[in-house]
Amino acid sequence: VDELKLGDNDNLAAIVAAAAVGRPAAAQRMEAAPDELSEVGVEEHLNARLPLELAFTDSSAKPVTLGEFFDNQRPVILTLNYSDCPMLCSLQLNGLVAGLQGIDWNLGGEYRVVTVSIDPEEPSERAAETKQKYLEIYGRANVERGWHFLTGEEQQIRQLAKAVGFGYTYDAATQQYLHAAVTFVCTPDGRVSRYLYGIEYPPQTVRLALLEAAEGRIGTTMDRVLMFCFQYDEQKGRYTLAAVNLMRAGGVVTLLFLAGMLGWYWRRESRKAKKLDPQAV
């Protein structure tokens, strides 16, 4: 992009959307970012502990702390958005919902989602409207307690954003927040486990990220086998087959097969020996 006019919302949104695809895509672009985006980006803080003591207000206007949504049992998907975002937030959350619809786990069951508004002026009533919108899109019953939309003061929001390495800024000319599209998958005890970038979230990626964050405490035995066979590829931004793990698994299967064949052979020879010599042990 050669020029950027502050009054051009479409240009700003397009640039931020392009940046939101993730670090691999951004690395291919060598031109300097416009001044308006100098504070926008993501610095990964994997395994960083979230400030769970931070105080927010939920969509029912009830005071809460971030830690209330981490129960040491279920992983938590965290997003930083705001309800009046003209485009990118809707694209990101629509993509996230599509990914969640593609897995059989339910909101509030095997995992939770927490969306914190980066707009300190957003009222809880507006957050409630946004929550209702996305629960309707999700389309499953009895999941209201599975997705929490929080609002808060500037200091609290900034502290959370800093903890996860989420850089954003407010542009007065366009009257919107400039930010990247990134989803944070967190462990049940409140640590950052995985960064998922962009506005599309394949169901398998979402499922494996949740399984990884939960350290195998959710899902079936087959899910845990899949987690062993796949690893996250930061360059591709998705989970790919892990060749080393596959070779290890193949080695184990081979050993089990050989052990089974040897056992079968030993039993057959033992039966033959008994037929020839009934006194043989």
Side-chain angles (χ1 to χ4, degrees):
V1 179
D2 296 323
E3 290 184 317
L4 176 68
K5 296 180 181 180
L6 289 180
D8 191 340
N9 287 358
D10 292 335
N11 283 351
L12 277 174
I15 292 174
V16 176
V21 173
R23 294 181 304 165
Q28 298 174 7
R29 298 181 54 181
M30 301 303 294
E31 68 269 22
D35 292 340
E36 294 75 23
L37 299 180
S38 61
E39 299 179 26
V40 177
V42 179
E43 180 180 344
E44 292 194 358
H45 296 167
L46 289 172
N47 207 41
R49 188 166 296 278
L50 301 179
L52 300 180
E53 73 283 356
L54 292 180
F56 292 98
T57 302
D58 70 10
S59 55
S60 65
K62 173 187 174 183
V64 296
T65 63
L66 186 62
E68 293 181 31
F69 308 106
F70 292 83
D71 60 4
N72 291 308
Q73 298 295 325
R74 293 171 289 185
V76 175
I77 294 175
L78 172 68
T79 74
L80 297 176
N81 305 99
Y82 69 108
S83 294
D84 291 331
C85 182
M87 182 178 72
L88 188 56
C89 292
S90 295
L91 292 174
Q92 179 188 352
L93 293 180
N94 286 340
L96 177 60
V97 170
L100 298 179
Q101 289 173 323
I103 62 177
D104 54 3
W105 298 338
N106 284 318
L107 277 168
E110 289 79 5
Y111 66 96
R112 288 174 169 171
V113 179
V114 175
T115 294
V116 178
S117 175
I118 59 175
D119 180 4
E121 301 299 323
E122 180 171 329
S124 56
E125 294 81 6
R126 183 72 176 94
E129 294 173 359
T130 306
K131 174 178 179 177
Q132 186 61 32
K133 169 187 173 181
Y134 285 104
L135 288 181
E136 290 178 0
I137 295 174
Y138 182 64
R140 299 185 190 179
N142 303 318
V143 295
E144 292 80 6
R145 296 185 179 181
W147 196 335
H148 306 273
F149 283 73
L150 310 182
T151 58
E153 299 178 356
E154 176 79 15
Q155 181 179 358
Q156 310 296 316
I157 299 168
R158 289 287 180 182
Q159 191 172 342
L160 175 58
K162 182 179 179 181
V164 298
F166 182 78
Y168 67 98
T169 188
Y170 180 74
D171 181 62
T174 60
Q175 297 184 348
Q176 62 179 283
Y177 286 89
L178 308 181
H179 62 92
V182 57
T183 294
F184 314 92
V185 184
C186 305
T187 63
D189 63 347
R191 290 174 291 110
V192 182
S193 173
R194 183 62 59 200
Y195 291 73
L196 303 180
Y197 295 93
I199 57 177
E200 294 183 357
Y201 300 88
Q204 177 176 269
T205 295
V206 175
R207 188 182 189 93
L208 290 174
L210 288 170
L211 185 64
E212 180 184 22
E215 298 178 344
R217 283 179 287 180
I218 61 175
T220 64
T221 301
M222 182 55 67
D223 288 318
R224 286 184 278 277
V225 171
L226 288 175
M227 191 70 258
F228 178 80
C229 294
F230 285 80
Q231 66 182 11
Y232 191 76
D233 188 326
E234 293 188 1
Q235 295 301 315
K236 296 181 179 179
R238 63 176 184 269
Y239 287 84
T240 58
L241 285 172
V244 173
N245 286 349
L246 283 177
M247 287 189 290
R248 289 174 180 171
V252 172
V253 171
T254 300
L255 288 175
L256 291 175
F257 175 76
L258 291 175
M261 290 297 295
L262 288 173
W264 172 82
Y265 179 79
W266 179 84
R267 288 193 299 271
R268 189 187 69 171
E269 294 302 311
S270 179
R271 285 195 295 268
K272 286 182 178 180
K274 287 183 179 180
K275 287 181 181 180
L276 294 174
D277 184 4
Q279 301 300 319
V281 180

